[in-house]
Amino acid sequence: LMQLHFQGIFDTTHNSLAHLEVLVRMQDQEDPARLLMPGQFIPYAEKSGKILDIDRWVIKSSIELLADAGVPSLAVNISGRSFDEPTLPQFIAEQLKRYGVAPHRLMVELTETSAVSDLHDAQRFIEALHHTGCGVALDDFGTGFSSFAYLKHLQVDAVKIDGLFIRNLPKEYDNQLFVKAIVTVARGLHKTIIAECVEDEETLVMLKGFGVDSVQGYYLEKPRADHPLLQAASRLQSTNLQ
């Protein structure tokens, strides 16, 4: 059984909710009370091709939720395997139209490593998503080699700095330099900058000082299935993918 969980991403200027990220969890068959994290099942789903079904379910469920005008904008993660599926942007456009959802309320996140490993397909996929009116974010930014060079070629709207550089940021001078460099380059290329894995106030204050636009992490909000902003649509948040 697959479940959707949600975690808030907050604007650093006004400390207000910018949007929610949609996260996938899987119920352990042997212990239904235990939830498996993406790292425990996504690699297998990608090898088997099942990830394509998961991606579509997450997208469809998220757009159904967005049909409620009171639901904030949502960000969904897409696997690198979906770059090879030319019909996916069309599927997204059809679902947005079906449920009467403004495309800008849906942001699609692609990991940097998957985009860099298949740059041409990623560029084409991003262009198609922009054609539908959706925003695109580059997730886990900083983990790929020559990140800044690739950022010039990937026309994304936002970059999410990988948590590897955010955890323990106040005590890691090298990471501070790296984050500042990302902010400078991303700002120059007119990208929104998001930092994940913010776990304490000191890190939050430092990121605000660096000019990061939005933040997410346990210090601000933990992922949860029963997010108060989505109570009315809870029936859509789980499914059994055979």
Side-chain angles (χ1 to χ4, degrees):
L1 185 69
M2 308 292 296
Q3 291 184 10
L4 295 184
H5 285 219
F6 306 87
Q7 185 178 31
I9 296 176
F10 296 86
D11 175 82
T12 55
T13 304
H14 306 290
N15 298 322
S16 58
L17 182 77
H19 60 274
L20 295 174
E21 181 176 5
V22 182
L23 303 163
V24 182
R25 304 288 185 261
M26 178 181 281
Q27 194 176 55
D28 190 333
Q29 291 183 334
E30 298 178 1
D31 180 7
R34 179 171 174 258
L35 291 178
L36 302 179
M37 302 299 282
Q40 296 174 277
F41 64 88
I42 291 296
Y44 301 101
E46 288 181 330
K47 286 180 181 177
S48 68
K50 198 68 180 175
I51 191 66
L52 300 177
D53 294 328
I54 294 174
D55 280 352
R56 287 196 174 224
W57 171 70
V58 171
I59 290 165
K60 186 175 187 298
S61 299
S62 298
I63 292 173
E64 284 185 72
L65 289 169
L66 287 168
D68 181 340
V71 171
S73 298
L74 298 176
V76 298
N77 295 277
I78 297 295
S79 163
R81 286 288 300 271
S82 290
F83 295 170
D84 301 325
E85 198 186 359
T87 61
L88 188 59
Q90 181 184 348
F91 172 78
I92 294 173
E94 289 170 352
Q95 295 301 313
L96 289 167
K97 185 176 180 181
R98 176 184 176 186
Y99 291 99
V101 173
H104 69 85
R105 294 178 62 211
L106 182 73
M107 176 172 279
V108 178
E109 294 190 2
L110 321 171
T111 65
E112 183 193 11
T113 48
S114 62
V116 168
S117 65
D118 200 349
L119 193 60
H120 180 69
D121 282 346
Q123 287 174 310
R124 188 172 55 200
F125 191 71
I126 291 167
E127 185 179 344
L129 290 173
H130 277 154
H131 187 69
T132 70
C134 297
V136 185
L138 198 60
D139 196 10
D140 299 338
F141 187 74
T143 55
F145 199 62
S146 301
S147 299
F148 293 165
Y150 286 116
L151 188 57
K152 181 179 178 181
H153 298 290
L154 295 169
Q155 298 302 309
V156 295
D157 304 287
V159 294
K160 289 183 73 174
I161 304 171
D162 188 76
L164 175 69
F165 305 103
I166 305 301
R167 294 187 191 93
N168 210 31
L169 182 68
K171 298 181 178 64
E172 296 283 349
Y173 182 67
D174 289 351
N175 285 352
Q176 292 174 32
L177 291 175
F178 195 85
V179 171
K180 285 184 197 176
I182 290 176
V183 171
T184 300
V185 173
R187 180 78 63 229
L189 294 171
H190 309 293
K191 316 293 186 189
T192 298
I193 306 138
I194 305 167
E196 59 185 6
C197 300
V198 178
E199 297 175 355
D200 57 69
E201 184 176 7
E202 191 177 0
T203 300
L204 175 60
V205 170
M206 183 169 281
L207 290 169
K208 284 184 179 182
F210 289 169
V212 168
D213 297 298
S214 300
V215 290
Q216 74 181 116
Y218 280 19
Y219 177 69
L220 301 141
E221 183 175 279
K222 292 184 178 181
R224 52 191 291 188
D226 59 340
H227 199 283
L229 295 174
L230 300 169
Q231 290 295 324
S234 59
R235 62 184 179 82
L236 300 172
Q237 296 172 23
S238 65
T239 193
N240 195 355
L241 292 175
Q242 300 297 331

